[in-house]
Amino acid sequence: KLADPEPAPRIYADRESLRQASVILKSSGLPEGGFITIHPGAKWSPKTWPARHWQTLIRKLRDEMDESVFILGGIQDRKIMDEILLDSGMAGVPHYTSADIMLSAAMIRLSALCLCHDSAPMHMAAASGVRTVALFGPVLPARSAPPESEGCRALRHDMFCSPCTLYYAGERCRRGMNFCMHAVSPDEVFQAVGDALASRSPLP
């Protein structure tokens, strides 16, 4: 007899964190379960999607899909968040910076979808039972992405230098630009988000 598969890890946000998250979201006009959390930060710079790609995607989500978006990040993510919000087309996009991991987990838990990099929020979303679209570049999804059975869709384009063994050693790819992240287009992320939102069945 085959051994039963191990249960997926779960995060259960405490009641106070969920209450605070609900207050913050309501003050931004966001309905619980009816918005997309965008977490544009990552521990290593070469893992990040370009700010202009985020801007293009957010405009498409708002204009073509009529989806509410919420940009969430930690203190260390302020730079990329500011770059995204600098565009005039981002006026009115709600955003929040938090140093409280459990509060961030609660906000993700209350969203319909988490859009992020190969990063901690990807695992937080999967462990909270929230569908995820995760953008990969230097690292293979097989190494760190939650399985699709946990609602995670990983997007990545292979490069001749993939998987990268040097991404953690500098601010940029040795080729001068992290081409693997630039190769993931806003259009394909838009399509993946639409597909994920169309599949509203509860995750196991």
Side-chain angles (χ1 to χ4, degrees), residues 20-200:
Q20 291 181 28
S22 181
V23 169
I24 292 168
L25 296 171
K26 285 181 180 178
S27 68
S28 299
L30 296 167
E32 291 183 15
F35 66 95
I36 298 170
T37 292
I38 290 177
H39 198 296
K43 183 176 182 179
W44 307 108
S45 178
K47 282 187 173 186
T48 58
W49 213 35
R52 66 176 182 273
H53 280 13
W54 285 115
Q55 293 164 347
T56 298
L57 176 66
I58 291 170
R59 282 193 290 267
K60 286 176 69 67
L61 290 172
R62 297 173 80 192
D63 299 342
E64 299 180 29
M65 202 181 288
D66 196 29
E67 289 290 340
S68 298
V69 299
F70 176 63
I71 302 178
L72 175 66
I75 303 301
Q76 70 279 6
D77 303 319
R78 282 177 174 168
K79 181 180 178 182
I80 183 64
M81 292 175 68
D82 288 345
E83 289 178 6
I84 295 169
L85 295 167
L86 185 63
D87 186 277
S88 59
M90 299 298 101
V93 176
H95 55 279
Y96 192 81
T97 304
S98 174
D100 186 333
I101 293 178
M102 191 55 69
L103 177 58
S104 295
M107 291 180 178
I108 291 172
R109 174 67 183 84
L110 297 175
S111 62
L113 177 80
C114 181
L115 179 55
C116 56
H117 295 122
D118 169 22
S119 59
M122 172 184 70
H123 298 287
M124 291 163 62
S128 297
V130 175
R131 295 190 183 280
T132 314
V133 174
L135 311 182
F136 276 73
V139 178
L140 295 174
R143 177 179 174 182
S144 60
E148 288 192 14
S149 61
E150 293 179 23
C152 182
R153 167 81 182 277
L155 299 181
R156 179 182 177 275
H157 289 280
D158 201 32
M159 297 281 158
F160 77 89
C161 50
S162 300
C164 180
T165 59
L166 302 175
Y167 75 90
Y168 53 83
E171 284 299 305
R172 295 197 301 173
C173 168
R174 65 178 182 271
R175 297 169 64 192
M177 182 176 77
N178 53 335
F179 288 93
C180 56
M181 293 302 298
H182 284 250
V184 181
S185 73
D187 284 340
E188 65 181 301
V189 179
F190 179 81
Q191 182 64 51
V193 168
D195 292 344
L197 291 175
S199 179
R200 299 281 187 166

